[in-house]
Amino acid sequence: MYTQQGSTWSRVLRYVWPIAFVLVFAIVGAWGNVAHETFVTWVIIIAYLVIFFGIVLAIGIRSTRARFREIEEYMKSTKSGAIEKLTRDDFMKAMEKDPEYVQETNRFVKSQMKNLIILMVVLIGLLILYTYVLSGPFITLAKYISSTVNIGYYLKPWFTPTIQEANLFYAYFIDYLIYFGVFFVLMYVIFRMMRMPFMTTNVQITDYPYTVTKELIVFRDAMLIDGMYLLKSPITVRQIVINEKRRFIEFQLSKPLSGLPYMKIRIYHKSPRDLWDKALKNLFRVEEGSVR
């Protein structure tokens, strides 16, 4: 029951807060224009950015806490001890024997940095374009809509003494909806293209593996990766690759793991085949093909 309620609340938070967020800031921004409080515009934009990233961060923290609670509950309830435990030294010794690891990492970092720079340039360019080029036509359109529909006549705010000022308030309100709405959509696109969590914890990086580097604890019915990610048996995967030459076991998850943006997980070991036969093979269920 707790899980169901938590899931429902997560859906509500995921879809309702962006709408409420934009509406509230659009109302305050429009009021600032009508009241001729020009400082309000700058304050509202700065506050918008601060709260925007604060909410995104809060969602990530909430997800992390839920994941740690699950790990804590499992550790308390499990009756079997660890059947295998690997430390950083175990991983590092095996990784040193893989000449391709550094090259893979460099390619991934360079591609991410390139995407980040391109997307940030596009974002800044679009915001400048909107502020200095499109804002005029948009506010003209918003004023036309507000006056034509005569929204102020039907819904006149208490702080607007005349219908004309009420219509002007709604014109700025529509303009801010466009402004903040465009910004929100752009940020959503950027976060998704950068494969970063935004309004979701299920972000997928399929072309680069998450490499276990701190600790791996294997139980009879689960494994704990780096003290942060608990995978319970049966772990459903699309495929498993045991590369004895490069000394790792790599598996591709069938479904995203909450809080982990990677779909592939790699475990380095001096003898990956032995590790598989001794501790790991009973934890997995392979959907496609076989272990290779």
Side-chain angles (χ1 to χ4, degrees), residues 150-154 156 160-169:
N150 201 15
I151 305 174
Y153 176 79
Y154 301 100
K156 191 171 84 66
T160 54
T162 65
I163 294 175
Q164 288 76 15
E165 287 190 352
N167 283 331
L168 184 62
F169 164 79

Side-chain angles (χ1 to χ4, degrees), residues 157-288:
W158 60 268
F159 53 82
T160 54
T162 65
I163 294 175
Q164 288 76 15
E165 287 190 352
N167 283 331
L168 184 62
F169 164 79
Y170 286 110
Y172 282 114
F173 173 72
I174 295 171
D175 184 54
Y176 275 105
L177 282 183
I178 297 173
Y179 187 90
F180 289 126
V182 166
F183 177 85
F184 190 91
V185 170
L186 285 174
M187 291 307 299
Y188 178 79
V189 171
I190 286 176
F191 270 70
R192 296 296 291 182
M193 291 185 68
M194 290 301 300
R195 297 159 179 174
M196 297 171 60
F198 177 63
M199 294 178 60
T200 179
T201 55
N202 296 334
V203 182
Q204 303 176 23
I205 296 177
T206 58
D207 56 351
Y208 185 80
Y210 175 86
T211 302
V212 184
T213 57
K214 297 178 182 178
E215 183 183 57
L216 174 69
I217 303 176
V218 182
F219 301 91
R220 295 190 182 278
D221 60 349
M223 68 165 63
L224 180 60
I225 295 175
D226 286 342
M228 298 178 62
Y229 306 106
L230 181 68
L231 285 76
K232 295 181 180 179
S233 178
I235 304 170
T236 306
V237 296
R238 293 185 177 180
Q239 65 176 3
I240 295 176
V241 176
I242 301 176
N243 193 321
E244 294 188 83
K245 181 180 179 181
R246 297 179 59 187
R247 302 192 181 189
F248 65 72
I249 299 172
E250 183 176 286
F251 54 90
Q252 183 176 359
L253 299 171
S254 297
K255 296 181 181 179
L257 182 65
S258 177
L260 179 68
Y262 298 84
M263 290 299 291
K264 292 181 180 179
I265 297 177
R266 180 181 293 181
I267 303 170
Y268 277 91
H269 191 264
K270 62 181 180 179
S271 180
R273 179 65 63 175
D274 290 345
L275 176 64
W276 172 259
D277 292 334
K278 178 184 176 181
L280 297 181
K281 67 179 181 180
N282 293 327
L283 297 179
F284 291 88
R285 183 175 64 211
V286 184
E287 283 189 342
E288 302 174 6

Side-chain angles (χ1 to χ4, degrees), residues 79-129:
K79 298 179 181 179
S80 62
I83 60 176
E84 186 70 35
K85 185 174 181 179
L86 303 177
T87 64
R88 179 178 177 83
D89 288 340
D90 297 313
F91 304 130
M92 293 298 109
K93 289 177 182 179
M95 290 169 66
E96 290 173 357
K97 305 296 183 180
D98 181 10
E100 298 180 37
Y101 174 74
V102 175
Q103 298 174 6
E104 282 183 345
T105 303
N106 288 340
R107 284 197 299 268
F108 178 72
V109 171
K110 287 179 180 178
S111 65
Q112 290 295 92
M113 289 300 296
K114 180 181 177 181
N115 290 339
L116 178 61
I117 292 172
I118 292 174
L119 290 171
M120 291 306 296
V121 169
V122 171
L123 173 63
I124 294 171
L126 287 174
L127 289 177
I128 292 175
L129 178 66

